[in-house]
Amino acid sequence: MLTKRIIPCLDIKNGRTVKGVNFVDLKDAGDPIELAVYYAENLADELVFLDISATEERRKTLAKLVEAIAQHINIPFTVGGGIASVKDVELLLKHGADKVSINSAAVKNPSLITEIASQFGSQCCVVAIDAKQIDSQWKVHLVGGKEATSLDLFNWAKQVESLGAGEILFTSMNHDGTKNGFANEALAKLSSIVNIPIIASGGAGAKQHFKDVFTLGKADAALAASVFHFKEIQIKDLKNYLLNSKIPVRL
C-alpha cells in the first residue's frame, strides 16, 4: 500500500503566510520561509505554496519568494496562484518548484492542463478544485472561492483526469478552516471515479480527522494549514498516531 502524505499549505498574501475560515477573515500565520524550513525539518512529505490573491489581483506568483523557499527545503514543492500559461510554469520550475497547481486558469482554458502535462509530465500538473456544497450539489468556485460556476465537482474532476492532470487538490469551501473534519463523503466519491491521487483540503482540526480522511475519505494525501502553523498538531505526533492506526506513512 502506498504511504499516505501529510502536506502543510502556505497560503501567501502580500509575502506573508495567512489563514482564514471558509476562504475569508484572513489572519497572519508567520514568515513563509521560516515555516517552510520548519516543515522540511519536521517530517512533512511535501509543501504547497498558494499565492491566494494572484488571480484576483491579476498578477503572477511571487517567483522570488518561491526561489527563496526552494533553496531552504529538500521535499517536493508545489506552487500555485496566478498561473495562466506554460511560460508561467517554466518560470516557477526554474525558480525551484517541483509541481504547479492550477485552478481558475484550468477552468477557463482546459487545454492548459494538457499543455503542461505534455511539456513537463503529468506528475508536474496538479489541478486544484475549490468547491462548495449548495443544496446537495458540489459546485466549482474560482478566483479564491469568489466566483461561482455551474461546473459540477465530479464531472470536472473526471475531465481534469482525462486532460492529463497528475493529481487533484480538492478543497471543500464548506469545511475550510472550520476544524470539524474533511469532506469525506465527497472525497470517497471522487476517489471512486478518478484514478489519479487526490489531496484532501479543508477541515483538519484533530488527529482523528486525518485518520478519517484516509479511511473514510480514501484520500491519498491530506493538506492542512492552521493546525500545523500554530503548532496545534505536530506532524511527527500525527504520523505516529496514524502508524498506530495502521495507516502507512513515512517517518
Side-chain angles (χ1 to χ4, degrees), residues 162-222:
S162 69
L163 288 165
E167 224 167 353
I168 289 170
L169 165 53
F170 163 54
T171 302
S172 162
M173 293 174 62
N174 306 72
H175 295 70
D176 175 70
T178 62
K179 299 188 180 177
N180 293 327
F182 292 89
N184 293 319
E185 224 173 280
L187 284 159
K189 184 174 174 181
L190 267 181
S191 92
S192 72
I193 61 171
V194 299
N195 295 308
I196 54 177
I198 294 164
I199 304 166
S201 166
K207 292 175 195 168
Q208 172 82 39
H209 295 153
F210 289 88
K211 178 185 173 183
D212 291 345
V213 82
F214 293 134
T215 53
L216 307 174
K218 313 289 187 207
D220 300 279

Side-chain angles (χ1 to χ4, degrees), residues 106-107 110 113 127 129-131 136-140 149-165 168 170 186 189-196 198:
V107 173
I113 299 170
V127 173
I129 305 176
D130 299 332
S136 80
Q137 300 277 308
W138 282 93
K139 295 298 181 188
V140 175
T149 76
S150 58
L151 259 187
D152 172 78
L153 162 66
F154 305 105
N155 292 340
W156 176 231
K158 281 195 277 196
Q159 194 183 340
V160 155
E161 179 182 35
S162 69
L163 288 165
I168 289 170
F170 163 54
K189 184 174 174 181
L190 267 181
S191 92
S192 72
I193 61 171
V194 299
N195 295 308
I196 54 177
I198 294 164

Side-chain angles (χ1 to χ4, degrees), residues 47-78:
L47 188 66
V48 166
F49 170 113
L50 297 176
D51 186 352
I52 59 171
S53 55
T55 300
E56 188 187 2
E57 294 168 7
R58 291 187 168 77
R59 60 174 171 74
K60 301 304 180 194
T61 309
L62 309 164
K64 285 219 159 33
L65 182 54
V66 168
E67 185 172 43
I69 291 172
Q71 285 170 352
H72 287 87
I73 63 173
N74 57 354
I75 54 176
F77 185 29
T78 301

Side-chain angles (χ1 to χ4, degrees), residues 30-31 42 52 64 68 79 101 104 137-138 146 168 183 212 236:
D31 176 81
N42 285 275
I52 59 171
K64 285 219 159 33
V79 177
S101 167
S104 302
Q137 300 277 308
W138 282 93
K146 292 180 175 67
I168 289 170
D212 291 345
K236 188 176 184 181

Side-chain angles (χ1 to χ4, degrees), residues 29-44:
D31 176 81
I33 299 174
E34 283 172 20
L35 282 168
V37 170
Y38 169 77
Y39 291 132
E41 289 172 352
N42 285 275
L43 297 179

